[in-house]
Amino acid sequence: MLRKIGFTTVALLIATSAAFADDIVGNWKTDSGETAAIAGTGPFSITLQTGKYTGKRIGSLNAGGDGRYSGEITDPATDKTYSGKAALSGNSLKMSGCVLGGLICKTQNWKRN
C-alpha cells in the first residue's frame, strides 16, 4: 500500500512540474522598459511595477494550453481595454492587444526580468 502511494505521489509531482514548465508568473520587462508583474494561478493578473503607471492593473489572462493565454489587456495611457492574447516561448512573452475580433493587433515582446 505504501509503495502504491509513493508511486502515485511521484507521478503527481512529475505531472505538476510539467504543467508549470511554461509558467508566465513573474516579472517581465516591457518594450517600453517598464516592469510588469504577472501573478495568480488563473486568471493571471498583470500589474505595472515601474514607470508612470506603477501599480496599475493592465490585464487579466487565462491559460489556453501550449504556452498560449487569452483575456483582456488595458492600455494604461488611455484606459481602453482590448481583447488580449499572449504566447510564451522560453523567456519571451509575445503580448498582443486586438480589436475587430483579432484582425488588428498591437504587439509587444516582453522579456523575463
Side-chain angles (χ1 to χ4, degrees), residues 31-53:
D31 278 355
S32 56
E34 286 91 9
T35 298
I38 301 179
T41 57
F44 298 94
S45 177
I46 307 168
T47 305
L48 289 175
Q49 298 297 304
T50 62
K52 183 176 179 181
Y53 302 103

Side-chain angles (χ1 to χ4, degrees), residues 4-50:
K4 191 174 192 177
I5 292 172
F7 284 128
T8 304
T9 303
V10 170
L12 184 60
L13 288 172
I14 290 170
T16 302
S17 65
F20 289 106
D22 271 349
D23 199 357
I24 64 169
V25 172
N27 292 324
W28 296 87
K29 184 70 72 175
T30 68
D31 278 355
S32 56
E34 286 91 9
T35 298
I38 301 179
T41 57
F44 298 94
S45 177
I46 307 168
T47 305
L48 289 175
Q49 298 297 304
T50 62

Side-chain angles (χ1 to χ4, degrees), residues 26-104:
N27 292 324
W28 296 87
K29 184 70 72 175
T30 68
D31 278 355
S32 56
E34 286 91 9
T35 298
I38 301 179
T41 57
F44 298 94
S45 177
I46 307 168
T47 305
L48 289 175
Q49 298 297 304
T50 62
K52 183 176 179 181
Y53 302 103
T54 297
K56 189 165 196 161
R57 187 173 176 269
I58 61 165
S60 177
L61 298 172
N62 290 300
D66 293 330
R68 304 225 180 263
Y69 301 84
S70 62
E72 294 182 337
I73 302 292
T74 301
D75 181 341
T78 65
D79 279 332
K80 290 186 179 181
T81 299
Y82 303 93
S83 172
K85 58 185 178 180
L88 181 64
S89 178
N91 287 324
S92 296
L93 186 64
K94 183 178 179 181
M95 297 288 296
S96 300
C98 305
V99 294
L100 298 174
L103 293 175
I104 301 171

